[in-house]
Amino acid sequence: MEWKEKGNAAFKAGDYSAAVQCYSKAIESVKENAQNGEIKLEVLYSNRSAAYVKYGKPEEALKDAEECLKISPHWGKAYGRKGKALFELGKFDESLEAYEEGLAVDKSNPTLRQGMGECRNAIEAKTKENAEADDDPLASFMNEVEELGKKKTEKPTGPRFVVNHKEQTKDWTSENQIDRLLGPSYKWINLNPFRTFSLPVDATEHDIKRRYKKLSQLVHPDKNKDPRANDAFDQVKKSHKKLVDDDQRAIAVKTIKQCTERVEKTRRRLIKKGISEADLLKRDGTLEEAIEKEIKKEFATQEYNHSKSDNMKRKYAHREREKEKEEMEYWKGVKELQETYQETREQRVKYWQSFEQNAKKQKKYGATYRPPQVKVEMVKRREDDKKKHKGAGIDESYKAAWR
């Protein structure tokens, strides 16, 4: 594409303002001609993000990097763009996380490893600088006062509630909520915590708290005699645990948004190819139904991969424990053998000394052969054997020479 090539040339020449403008026009051109697959949109966002960093606009670079990740969440270079933008913004911890996420999908990317090293060095330098500031009591005290002042002046932004709880839950009963929570394939469907609580992804902490209280009143086993109440409340507790954990909640929100964008983008592409709305409705249902189906599938896939990873970790840990146990048994046997060897050492020495003394006496006085005393039973058995051999015609005269 002409605009992309011009942007690359401007970037190499150091004219980052012109590079940004060229990449922006290339992005607009690709969006207008969605069927043209010569240039991938995520590549253009990645290039413009790099240009914004060089141009001194890391906020814009971060936006482009996030757009790039929405389109291609498994591309290591996109995580590198995000990490670089966050680094330029001074958010070293978040930048390090972005690089680590990138290495999880692209382990052989040297740029990501280099970025991680730069982040660690910056974090270490910042920690050292803070430690030096702490050595000055007055400076430390003033910093604490300033932080407290910021916390007091900071006010929560946005509404406390984004859901009309009274209207939405007016028809809820214990029975219909237990039926909803324990419907077919509920263990897979309830992996989406927002679906379990019937809340949108932009629900606030107050929405989550109020919805948890409402569901607890309806399905808690102490307040409901239904035998299924215990299982239903377990599903509520699991979803609540995910929603109050910032990291797990962010992952759920990101998953839902990505699925929504993916389905909408696919629909737009199919419509441009000439497939009618009626055909899409027959095949996938309404847009909302298609999105819901994609979300269920994505959460189920994540859970399957997570459980598979856990099983592999457990098997590896079990194998390591067995190996360690075998090694301990081996060295225990070696130790016991050494102890036995040391305990019998004196006895072996005595046997050897006695043997040497007897050998000297035999050499000096001569040794006479003394045949062992033969038991009566053994003599009788030998005589019986001779009779049998003679009866069978076996000649044993040759044995006389042995004696």
Side-chain angles (χ1 to χ4, degrees):
M1 183 182 287
E2 183 182 355
W3 286 114
K4 179 177 179 292
E5 293 173 357
K6 288 182 178 180
N8 292 342
F11 187 92
K12 290 179 181 178
D15 190 354
Y16 303 117
S17 175
V20 167
Q21 293 176 5
C22 291
Y23 289 138
S24 299
K25 290 182 180 179
I27 290 170
E28 291 175 5
S29 177
V30 170
K31 286 182 177 179
E32 290 174 0
N33 303 292
Q35 294 182 0
N36 185 5
E38 294 180 1
I39 302 297
K40 293 183 177 180
L41 194 59
E42 60 267 31
V43 174
L44 294 174
Y45 275 119
S46 173
N47 291 355
R48 192 170 71 173
S49 177
Y52 270 130
V53 168
K54 294 289 187 180
Y55 193 42
K57 293 186 176 182
E59 297 89 354
E60 301 298 327
L62 180 59
K63 291 179 183 178
D64 277 356
E66 289 176 345
E67 287 293 329
C68 186
L69 281 171
K70 287 179 183 178
I71 300 170
S72 184
H74 301 293
W75 190 26
K77 192 172 184 178
Y79 288 97
R81 298 298 190 205
K82 182 179 179 181
K84 185 63 175 176
L86 289 167
F87 184 87
E88 293 298 325
L89 287 169
K91 300 179 179 180
F92 305 128
D93 292 327
E94 295 180 30
S95 176
L96 182 60
E97 288 180 7
Y99 284 124
E100 289 174 346
E101 289 176 1
L103 281 174
V105 298
D106 188 3
K107 297 180 180 178
S108 60
N109 193 318
T111 306
L112 295 174
R113 295 188 182 279
Q114 182 181 352
M116 284 179 65
E118 292 176 356
C119 287
R120 290 197 177 103
N121 292 336
I123 292 170
E124 186 177 351
K126 188 176 180 181
T127 305
K128 186 177 180 181
E129 183 181 345
N130 292 337
E132 290 176 354
D134 290 341
D135 292 338
D136 186 354
L138 180 60
S140 178
F141 174 73
M142 294 303 294
N143 289 335
E144 289 178 5
V145 171
E146 187 177 352
E147 289 295 326
L148 287 172
K150 287 181 180 179
K151 289 181 180 179
K152 287 182 179 180
T153 55
E154 286 178 357
K155 295 182 179 180
T157 58
R160 282 169 54 86
F161 299 100
V162 297
V163 176
N164 187 346
H165 292 270
K166 188 175 181 179
E167 180 67 24
Q168 196 178 79
T169 62
K170 65 181 181 180
D171 297 327
W172 283 19
T173 63
S174 298
E175 186 178 355
N176 64 28
Q177 287 308 299
I178 290 176
D179 291 339
R180 181 180 69 85
L181 293 169
L182 300 179
S185 305
Y186 70 91
K187 290 184 178 179
W188 294 102
I189 295 174
N190 290 336
L191 291 172
N192 178 5
F194 290 99
R195 188 265 178 195
T196 306
F197 276 43
S198 295
L199 288 174
V201 293
D202 59 344
T204 65
E205 293 181 3
H206 298 285
D207 287 319
I208 294 168
K209 185 177 179 180
R210 185 164 179 177
R211 187 55 54 87
Y212 178 65
K213 183 179 179 180
K214 180 66 176 178
L215 286 170
S216 299
Q217 290 172 348
L218 293 173
V219 304
H220 196 284
D222 292 343
K223 300 179 180 180
N224 195 315
K225 296 181 180 180
D226 194 312
R228 302 173 298 163
N230 197 21
D231 292 335
F233 188 63
D234 282 342
Q235 297 300 314
V236 173
K237 284 194 298 183
K238 289 178 182 177
S239 296
H240 181 254
K241 186 177 179 181
K242 291 180 181 178
L243 290 175
V244 297
D245 184 280
D246 292 338
D247 294 334
Q248 293 189 45
R249 182 181 173 187
I251 291 171
V253 171
K254 184 178 180 181
T255 300
I256 293 170
K257 288 184 176 180
Q258 286 179 347
C259 291
T260 303
E261 291 172 1
R262 187 158 58 240
V263 172
E264 291 175 347
K265 184 179 178 181
T266 302
R267 285 231 167 184
R268 286 196 299 268
R269 188 176 70 251
L270 292 174
I271 290 171
K272 284 189 176 181
K273 285 185 177 181
I275 299 176
S276 65
E277 289 278 1
D279 293 337
L280 289 174
L281 189 63
K282 289 180 182 179
R283 193 185 73 173
D284 301 326
T286 63
L287 179 61
E288 291 75 16
E289 291 173 347
I291 291 171
E292 184 67 21
K293 190 185 297 182
E294 182 69 16
I295 290 171
K296 291 177 183 177
K297 181 180 176 182
E298 183 64 27
F299 274 104
T301 303
Q302 289 180 6
E303 180 64 18
Y304 173 76
N305 292 335
H306 182 68
S307 61
K308 188 177 179 181
S309 175
D310 286 346
N311 289 335
M312 291 295 292
K313 289 178 181 177
R314 282 194 292 269
K315 287 180 181 179
Y316 178 76
H318 177 71
R319 188 163 58 245
E320 289 296 315
R321 285 195 299 270
E322 290 295 324
K323 185 178 178 181
E324 185 178 353
K325 187 177 178 182
E326 290 177 2
E327 190 173 353
M328 288 176 65
E329 290 292 334
Y330 169 76
W331 288 112
K332 184 179 178 182
V334 170
K335 186 178 179 181
E336 290 177 354
L337 186 63
Q338 290 176 348
E339 289 176 353
T340 304
Y341 182 82
Q342 292 296 331
E343 289 174 358
T344 59
R345 184 174 180 277
E346 294 182 2
Q347 188 177 2
R348 292 197 308 275
V349 171
K350 289 179 181 178
Y351 286 158
W352 179 252
Q353 291 174 348
S354 176
F355 173 78
E356 285 185 331
Q357 291 173 3
N358 292 334
K360 289 178 181 179
K361 288 180 181 179
Q362 289 178 3
K363 187 175 181 181
K364 185 174 181 180
Y365 301 108
T368 57
Y369 173 72
R370 294 181 180 180
Q373 296 291 333
V374 182
K375 294 182 179 180
V376 178
E377 293 84 358
M378 187 63 72
V379 173
K380 187 177 180 181
R381 187 183 297 171
R382 287 180 180 175
E383 290 177 354
D384 292 340
D385 289 342
K386 287 180 181 179
K387 291 178 181 179
K388 288 180 183 179
H389 289 318
K390 285 181 180 180
I394 299 173
D395 183 13
E396 293 186 347
S397 58
Y398 66 92
K399 292 183 179 180
W402 293 359
R403 299 181 183 178

